């Protein structure tokens, strides 16, 4: 059983965490009884029963506990345990608040230079008002014509404009230069290399061919993650969920339909997240209520893979810069550690991290 975990230990651990979270006694007892039932059996018999699906024939073992044992024997942390462990220490609301408090800026925002609704200055002043130390301006790249993506010439002009605006902004705050660059069909990035190299932070996103088959999408994303210019993988599944609670009317983001939902694209998340961890590229936790991307299941995978993260609003208007909490809540539920979130770092640390990718 190379690589397997100890299923009895996992069952006991779940019981302990349930107990500490003050869950109902019968739930705790279910896991303790299952652990006790298995403790008397040889490991081979447990494995054979798991393979044959006959664990539930044992007194004290139910459907849920049997599934935990089966998962454990494959060497994977049982989903149930992972879920308990992610909210360990109790209150996810408090964890989300703490994470929000630790954020110093935002790494994904749009102005009226592409499909945002407001000038750069207004976005910057709203970010100052929120207490940010920096805002990365990430307008779209040339091929996303529907969102008025910036040609190389326009991006060069924008860089000059940002430098001017930065002169006028309060001390202690600055706009960092950036782009949300399209990841093209072959995985290359939709902007000139020398320009990408000049930018402080590069977010790369898939906006086209979202229904590519899994193998093709995986290759495409892996190639982008390996690109030394890319720092953050934007809204990785591209899904659109119907937003509730927040009116998205006039929310900008002309690159997509505002009203329709869209399923997540298919890609091998384990491989893509392993590459992000290997190259030190951040997986974006997109805060937009109509995106909630990545979904929690994938977010947990990325946590386990050891990826860095960026909690980004993808704001297309000043008020949307205050959407960080939507991402913090999901991050807290999935056990994202604050120190692995790149926008909890100061601007100097963040830009040095991004620059190191291309070094
Ligand atoms: Zn996007
Ligand atoms: Zn965007």
């Amino acid at each position: 059983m190379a690589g397997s975990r100890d299923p009895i230990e996992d069952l006991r651990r779940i019981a302990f965490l349930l107990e500490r979270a003050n869950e109902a006694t019968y739930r705790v007892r279910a896991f303790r009884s299952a652990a006790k039932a298995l403790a008397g059996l040889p490991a081979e018999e447990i494995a054979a029963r798991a393979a044959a699906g006959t664990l539930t024939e044992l007194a004290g073992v139910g459907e849920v506990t049997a599934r935990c044992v089966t998962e454990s024997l494959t060497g994977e942390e049982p989903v149930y345990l992972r879920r308990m462990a992610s909210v360990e220490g109790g209150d996810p609301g408090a964890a989300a608040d703490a994470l929000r408090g630790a954020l110093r800026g935002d790494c994904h925002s749009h102005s009226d230079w592409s499909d945002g609704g407001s000038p750069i200055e207004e976005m910057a002043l709203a970010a100052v008002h929120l207490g940010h130390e920096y805002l990365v301006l990430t307008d779209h790249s040339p091929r996303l014509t529907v969102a008025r993506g910036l040609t190389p010439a326009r991006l060069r002009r924008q860089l000059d404009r940002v430098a001017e605006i930065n002169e006028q902004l309060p001390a202690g705050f600055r706009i960092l230069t950036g782009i949300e660059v399209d990841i093209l069909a072959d995985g290359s990035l939709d902007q000139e290399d020398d320009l990408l190299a000049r930018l402080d932070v590069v977010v790369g996103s898939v906006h086209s061919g979202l229904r590519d088959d899994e193998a093709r999408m995986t290759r495409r994303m892996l190639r982008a993650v390996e690109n030394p210019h890319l720092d953050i993988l934007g809204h990785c599944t591209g899904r659109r969920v119907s937003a509730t609670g927040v009116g998205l009317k006039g929310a900008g983001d002309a690159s997509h339909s505002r009203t329709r939902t869209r399923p997540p694209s298919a890609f091998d998340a384990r491989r893509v997240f392993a590459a992000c961890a290997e190259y030190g590229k951040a997986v974006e936790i997109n805060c937009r209520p109509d995106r909630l991307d990545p979904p929690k299941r994938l977010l947990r995978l990325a946590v386990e893979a050891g990826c860095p993260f960026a909690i980004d609003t993808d704001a297309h208007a000043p008020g949307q810069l205050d959407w960080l909490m939507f991402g913090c809540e999901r991050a807290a539920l999935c056990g994202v550690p604050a120190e692995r979130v790149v926008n909890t770092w100061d601007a100097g640390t963040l830009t040095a991290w991004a620059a190191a990718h291309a070094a």
Side-chain angles (χ1 to χ4, degrees), residues 169-182:
L169 290 169
F173 176 87
R174 83 182 146 121
I175 303 167
L176 299 178
T177 59
I179 187 172
E180 180 180 16
V181 66
D182 264 48

Side-chain angles (χ1 to χ4, degrees), residues 108 180 183 203-207 210-211 217 221 225 232-239 263-269 272-273 276 282-286 291-295 298-299 302 309 330:
H108 187 162
E180 180 180 16
I183 296 174
V203 178
S205 308
V206 172
H207 290 119
L210 285 155
R211 300 275 72 79
M217 183 62 92
M221 293 173 80
V225 169
I232 297 171
L233 179 61
H235 52 69
C236 64
T237 78
R239 76 168 178 172
S265 57
F267 63 96
D268 185 336
V272 170
F273 294 155
C276 287
V283 172
E284 178 181 81
I285 299 171
N286 192 293
R291 284 194 181 277
L292 304 177
D293 200 359
L298 288 191
L299 190 46
F309 295 94
R330 290 204 336 288

